[in-house]
Amino acid sequence: MDRTRIVVGANGSGGSIAAVRWAAAEARLRDTDLRIVVAYQRPEGQQENAGIVHAAVAAARAVAPAIEVRGVAMPGYAVPVLLHAAEEAALLVVGDQGRGGMFGAPADSVGKQVATQARCSVVVVRGRPDCDSGPVVVGVDDDAADAVIGRAFEEAALHGAQVLAVTAGPGARGKGAEVLGADLDSRLDPWRARYRSVSAQREYIDGRPDRVMVDSCRQALLAVVGPRRHGYQGVLLGEVGSRLLRRAECPVLIAR
């Protein structure tokens, strides 16, 4: 199945409008269409829902007037509605829920739930309001999947950005000295060869990986993480992914 569509959740909040704008910009870069989904539980709120859809579509078209944008309001709780809408999507985007949350879900829960349950990659748009520059940050350790590193290079190529690959943990700097003394970096060089326009830097930093990654994202364009292991349903994010969803100062992409 050729998945190209981007799906974004909206609820009229500032966080969801930021997510819509981010998703529209990504759809423009990928030359694909965008579907905006509003979940609701109260049928009597049809007029309000229509207003939310209209405002979100207008925000998307202001960013990317040439792409196809479709907005729809669907009955149900936010998480299952969004998961269903994104079954054939390449990317599902949601905003930082802040205090209010989306309809049918507690504040801050939607991003984590769709990140662990969606079949496609998920972006939680959060952090600084001007995340349009800086590197694409990706964590690189012994468990990091090469596909996640590759996704960081893909996003960097799309955005004209650099890749910052961070290896963190006790003694990371000492390990880094050994690796940097070698002629090749086995984790990054295959992707450097594939994405020749992307400059990539690797940093080795002592400290807890989750805290190091949050610090590394303070001036980043995007953070890319992958699931740590499969759970009974969906995936588990691990300490790094979970902390980034709560504290990152840039959008966070959970790559599949």
Side-chain angles (χ1 to χ4, degrees):
M1 182 180 296
D2 182 17
R3 298 184 175 188
T4 57
R5 174 184 299 149
I6 294 176
V7 173
V8 58
N11 68 349
S13 67
S16 76
I17 291 297
V20 167
R21 290 173 177 152
W22 190 97
E26 191 78 3
R28 180 187 61 206
L29 289 173
R30 295 177 175 275
D31 192 23
T32 189
D33 61 305
L34 178 67
R35 177 171 293 181
I36 299 168
V37 178
V38 175
Y40 68 90
Q41 295 181 59
R42 297 179 291 104
E44 62 272 18
Q46 289 295 331
Q47 185 173 357
E48 179 183 1
N49 297 326
I52 293 173
V53 171
H54 178 78
V57 169
R61 288 177 175 160
V63 172
I67 68 171
E68 180 180 343
V69 180
R70 179 185 174 191
V72 59
M74 302 177 65
Y77 289 101
V79 171
V81 165
L82 291 173
L83 292 175
H84 175 73
E87 284 183 351
E88 298 181 7
L91 188 65
L92 173 58
V93 182
V94 296
D96 182 20
Q97 304 309 309
R99 297 179 180 178
M102 291 188 73
F103 298 125
D108 296 324
S109 70
V110 172
K112 186 172 183 179
Q113 289 187 59
V114 298
T116 56
Q117 297 179 42
R119 297 180 181 180
C120 62
S121 295
V122 174
V123 170
V124 178
V125 177
R126 55 164 295 111
R128 309 183 320 276
D130 57 345
C131 294
D132 54 1
S133 63
V136 175
V137 177
V138 60
V140 177
D141 57 22
D142 293 340
D143 296 325
D146 286 337
V148 175
I149 301 172
R151 184 59 182 268
F153 273 82
E154 178 186 346
E155 290 295 328
L158 280 170
H159 292 272
Q162 297 180 337
V163 167
L164 174 58
V166 177
T167 298
R173 288 179 181 171
K175 179 180 179 182
E178 297 176 4
V179 174
L180 291 175
D183 293 332
L184 298 175
D185 187 326
S186 61
R187 302 304 302 272
L188 300 188
D189 284 348
W191 299 106
R192 286 178 172 136
R194 182 170 180 177
Y195 295 94
R196 295 187 180 275
S197 65
V198 176
S199 173
Q201 177 182 354
R202 191 165 181 183
E203 290 189 354
Y204 295 82
I205 304 173
D206 287 322
R208 278 181 41 175
D210 56 336
R211 294 180 178 176
V212 167
M213 282 294 290
V214 169
D215 289 341
S216 299
C217 291
R218 296 193 186 281
Q219 300 299 323
L221 173 77
L222 181 70
V224 179
V225 296
R228 306 309 299 173
R229 64 184 177 86
H230 287 277
Y232 177 72
Q233 291 183 339
V235 297
L236 301 179
L237 293 179
E239 291 182 0
V240 172
S242 297
R243 190 174 183 89
L244 285 173
L245 290 186
R246 297 192 307 269
R247 299 291 181 87
E249 288 295 318
C250 68
V252 179
L253 189 154
I254 299 88
R256 297 286 199 287

